[in-house]
Amino acid sequence: DQQVKQNSPSLSVQEGRISILNCDYTNSMFDYFLWYKKYPAEGPTFLISISSIKDKNEDGRFTVFLNKSAKHLSLHIVPSQPGDSAVYFCAASGVRGAQKLVFGQGTRLTINP
Amino acid sequence: EPEVTQTPSHQVTQMGQEVILRCVPISNHLYFYWYRQILGQKVEFLVSFYNNEISEKSEIFDDQFSVERPDGSNFTLKIRSTKLEDSAMYFCASSTGPNYGYTFGSGTRLTVV
């Protein structure tokens, strides 16, 4: 079951530059998408979300873009900071009112000083 | 900031034994969830709970699993007869409503030997 895919297991970015994390999905019934950040030995922390009726949502340094026709979303972090080093999970939720989240495999982001 | 609290942080149990994983969700949240992450794999949905009953469960959540909200504050996951493949991080989460960013706990690492 690969309904949500993050094809890059890892990404390394210089401090101050833009980090772009990508996520693809296959189920066209998904209508809500979320990004979570996870540090070792901690639970996932909610970062930002986007509804399928939008194509962009911005919160401080974090922006999520949704391309419904391509079934693709991305998370942009700018500028990247050392504290952003973590595993980032993309997640999707189904028909409005459904509660289950389907997660991608995660991308480990490393910010280099 | 309100937290979801999980205990214990690490539990080792013998195969075939029963385990109970405990969670205290955020007090004004109404939706409760269990997820798990097997080492190196994606975070997987187990079950959601609302209004004192299961609202959705995955195929992983078979008859060996059960959830309970015994006293209005705790939310527990019971595995009746543990198997080696139940070894994973188990995350509890809660939210004010479906499709909101959940708050996850820090997880319980279950090791079945």
Side-chain angles (χ1 to χ4, degrees):
Chain A
D1 180 357
Q2 293 279 313
Q3 294 189 75
V4 178
K5 284 190 282 192
Q6 294 174 256
N7 291 317
S8 298
S10 63
L11 176 67
S12 189
V13 173
Q14 283 296 116
E15 182 179 357
R17 307 293 287 267
I18 184 170
S19 296
I20 300 176
L21 298 109
N22 293 303
C23 177
D24 297 294
Y25 62 96
T26 56
N27 189 340
S28 57
M29 297 300 287
F30 288 144
D31 71 348
Y32 196 74
F33 303 90
L34 308 92
W35 283 94
Y36 282 84
K37 173 180 179 180
K38 187 179 179 304
Y39 294 117
E42 293 186 14
T45 303
F46 170 71
L47 271 178
I48 192 169
S49 62
I50 188 166
S51 161
S52 61
I53 61 172
K54 294 187 170 184
D55 55 18
K56 178 181 173 181
N57 188 27
E58 193 169 349
D59 183 2
R61 296 187 297 115
F62 302 93
T63 303
V64 56
F65 295 91
L66 176 62
N67 182 335
K68 285 191 294 293
S69 60
K71 295 193 177 66
H72 177 85
L73 64 155
S74 61
L75 174 68
H76 293 210
I77 306 172
V78 57
S80 301
Q81 299 172 354
D84 296 329
S85 295
V87 178
Y88 288 77
F89 291 96
C90 167
S93 178
V95 174
R96 197 170 299 279
Q99 298 148 30
K100 164 186 169 183
L101 291 182
V102 180
F103 281 84
Q105 304 94 317
T107 297
R108 181 176 301 279
L109 176 65
T110 302
I111 306 302
N112 301 308
Chain B
E1 190 168 327
E3 287 185 344
V4 174
T5 305
Q6 288 187 245
T7 55
S9 56
H10 191 188
Q11 172 125 20
V12 181
T13 188
Q14 288 206 319
M15 192 169 55
Q17 294 295 304
E18 174 184 287
V19 294
I20 298 176
L21 309 183
R22 301 180 192 280
C23 170
V24 179
I26 293 173
S27 60
N28 65 337
H29 285 187
L30 302 175
Y31 294 80
F32 314 110
Y33 315 88
W34 284 99
Y35 284 76
R36 79 173 185 188
Q37 185 181 26
I38 294 171
L39 187 63
Q41 298 186 24
K42 60 173 68 178
V43 177
E44 299 175 290
F45 170 79
L46 292 178
V47 66
S48 58
F49 192 86
Y50 170 70
N51 201 26
N52 286 318
E53 61 183 24
I54 291 173
S55 47
E56 190 174 359
K57 61 182 180 179
S58 72
E59 61 276 7
I60 302 168
F61 195 88
D62 61 21
D63 291 345
Q64 293 300 309
F65 290 86
S66 62
V67 289
E68 202 174 37
R69 190 156 159 78
D71 56 13
S73 62
N74 289 285
F75 180 52
T76 62
L77 174 69
K78 183 194 290 187
I79 309 174
R80 266 180 264 285
S81 178
T82 49
K83 303 188 282 284
L84 293 176
E85 53 265 38
D86 293 327
S87 295
M89 280 290 288
Y90 287 80
F91 294 106
C92 174
S94 66
S95 70
T96 53
N99 289 341
Y100 286 82
Y102 302 174
T103 301
F104 281 86
S106 297
T108 293
R109 178 171 298 284
L110 177 65
T111 303
V112 182
V113 297

